[in-house]
Amino acid sequence: MTLVMKFGGTSVGSAQAMRDTAELIENTKDNWGQVVVIASGMGSKPVKVTDLLLGGAQAALDGDQQKYLDIAEEMRLVHFEAIDGLLDPEGERQAILAENLRFIEHYVALCDAVRVLGELSPRALDAISGMGEQMSVRILAAYLRQIGYKAEAIDATELITTDDNFQSANPLMDETRKLSTARLQPLLEANVIPVVTGFIAATENGVTTTLGRGGSDYSAAIIGQTLDADEVWIWTDVDGVMTADPRLVPDAQSIPVLTYREVSELAYYGAKVLHPKTMRPCIENDIPLRIKNTFNPGHPGTVIVANGQGK
Ligand code: ADP
Ligand code: ASP
Ligand code: MG
């Protein structure tokens, strides 16, 4: 049985959140056998790493070097604190610190280029904004290895091919299916947990793209479709899809079962709990989609199905 699970920004937003996430992966691994993890960039609300990256890129365009250097330092602190809190010094801690630092240095180099050129293209924005996912998956995969699993961090640029509609790229599914199965199936058969970046992908020429803000949900559905997954689970910070945004309506209720159509409508009218394209791959392959709360995993959350009968 194959389960694809996506963990949102808050679910990987701190050392403790990553520990909780790893525990959920452990629990499901026993029952499902083959588990693929998709992760967002770290995002302890209200600060999301993706927002920091984009804010820094804009500062670079504005010529504000100090601001993007400050942001780089803030990102370093967020990631280093998580790494120090999770990884043993005698294990992979130093290697993962160094890997994360390389991404932050690369980020600063890209911002320098934007500042000097005075130009910030959608393509540059995708290269910059996807780094949060590249950093978080390396931390989470290393932690899973530390607690005894075989796990490998994978950049979805290796798995998902898109057109060059930067910032809201569209997957080319034939090519994506080939790449994704060729890379992931051998790992799953060898009992390795792939820990894949959400949000990012690449053009046929290997240029990094993104699937749009909140796109990690869509990444999970795309990967789920390529692997003919039995279910796709989206782990977030609320008890599933609610009757209203719980940030605005405190007594909003969790909805146990919804159809694809109902969720598409909710997303269309602005319910920001799922990326609106997430349903498409699931509809095509009739894959049930569950939304669950990392911080309240006993709650059943919401299951989204074709016909509303539940599964
Ligand atoms: P993640 O980082 O896990 O992807 P998001 O912030 O993208 O999290 O989505 C989850 C958030 O969506 C919740 O914290 C909630 O505030 C907001 N939200 C908006 N509308 C709804 C809704 N109808 N049901 C549930 N959550 C909603
Ligand atoms: N990290 C990306 C964003 O903030 C993608 C996601 O979280 O789904 O938009
Ligand atoms: Mg989201």
Side-chain angles (χ1 to χ4, degrees):
M1 299 273 281
T2 305
L3 175 63
V4 175
M5 298 204 290
K6 174 258 174 175
F7 291 90
T10 41
S11 304
V12 293
S14 63
Q16 186 53 48
M18 285 212 204
R19 244 182 246 115
D20 294 344
T21 284
E23 200 178 313
L24 294 170
I25 295 167
E26 283 193 273
N27 295 343
T28 41
K29 179 95 180 91
D30 288 345
N31 296 332
W32 288 78
Q34 302 197 330
V35 172
V36 179
V37 173
I38 314 287
S40 294
M42 292 180 69
S44 303
K45 280 174 187 160
V47 179
K48 291 185 96 178
V49 166
T50 314
D51 292 333
L52 290 178
L53 289 161
L54 288 167
Q58 185 58 45
L61 183 63
D62 298 340
D64 192 343
Q65 186 180 34
Q66 193 54 51
K67 183 163 178 191
Y68 67 75
L69 291 177
D70 289 347
I71 287 176
E73 178 57 13
E74 189 175 351
M75 287 203 313
R76 192 188 65 76
L77 288 173
V78 167
H79 290 91
F80 278 30
E81 194 178 303
I83 295 168
D84 287 341
L86 286 168
L87 301 180
D88 294 339
E90 56 280 2
E92 289 192 72
R93 185 192 286 182
Q94 284 312 323
I96 302 299
L97 283 171
E99 263 192 325
N100 268 248
L101 193 58
R102 275 200 295 279
F103 279 107
I104 291 167
E105 285 166 357
H106 185 47
Y107 163 70
V108 171
L110 288 175
C111 285
D112 284 338
V114 168
R115 178 176 56 84
V116 171
L117 295 171
E119 206 172 86
L120 180 57
S121 62
R123 174 175 165 159
L125 276 169
D126 279 357
I128 291 172
S129 63
M131 280 187 213
E133 275 70 11
Q134 294 180 291
M135 291 191 276
S136 66
V137 294
R138 284 162 172 79
I139 304 173
L140 183 58
Y143 181 63
L144 288 169
R145 289 192 291 271
Q146 179 174 293
I147 60 173
Y149 288 90
K150 291 194 272 182
E152 185 174 331
I154 298 175
D155 291 328
T157 47
E158 290 186 54
L159 309 179
I160 301 177
T161 302
T162 65
D163 60 16
D164 63 359
N165 186 27
F166 294 103
Q167 295 197 277
S168 187
N170 304 294
L172 306 174
M173 284 310 291
D174 288 345
E175 185 59 20
T176 299
R177 185 179 281 274
K178 272 187 225 148
L179 289 176
S180 167
T181 51
R183 181 77 168 92
L184 298 180
Q185 284 296 3
L187 295 179
L188 293 171
E189 279 155 25
N191 205 27
V192 176
I193 304 171
V195 184
V196 180
T197 55
F199 191 40
I200 62 171
T203 66
E204 280 167 308
N205 297 328
V207 180
T208 299
T209 56
T210 67
L211 304 174
R213 292 306 308 272
S216 299
D217 304 325
Y218 190 27
S219 308
I222 292 168
I223 297 297
Q225 184 177 31
T226 63
L227 297 175
D228 297 321
D230 295 282
E231 293 199 10
V232 173
W233 292 9
I234 307 286
W235 288 95
T236 184
D237 55 5
V238 287
D239 294 332
V241 181
M242 327 263 299
T243 47
D245 184 345
R247 275 179 293 201
L248 307 175
V249 182
D251 60 356
Q253 303 292 312
S254 165
I255 307 170
V257 184
L258 282 168
T259 63
Y260 295 128
R261 173 187 284 272
E262 286 165 338
V263 176
S264 298
E265 275 168 17
L266 280 172
Y268 180 81
Y269 288 110
K272 234 199 72 300
V273 62
L274 266 189
H275 187 282
K277 291 184 191 162
T278 310
M279 253 63 64
R280 282 189 203 168
C282 296
I283 292 174
E284 280 168 21
N285 280 42
D286 198 14
I287 303 173
L289 182 67
R290 279 179 207 279
I291 324 290
K292 287 179 64 73
N293 189 349
T294 301
F295 307 98
N296 188 18
H299 192 288
T302 299
V303 62
I304 301 169
V305 295
N307 58 20
Q309 297 305 304
K311 287 216 172 185

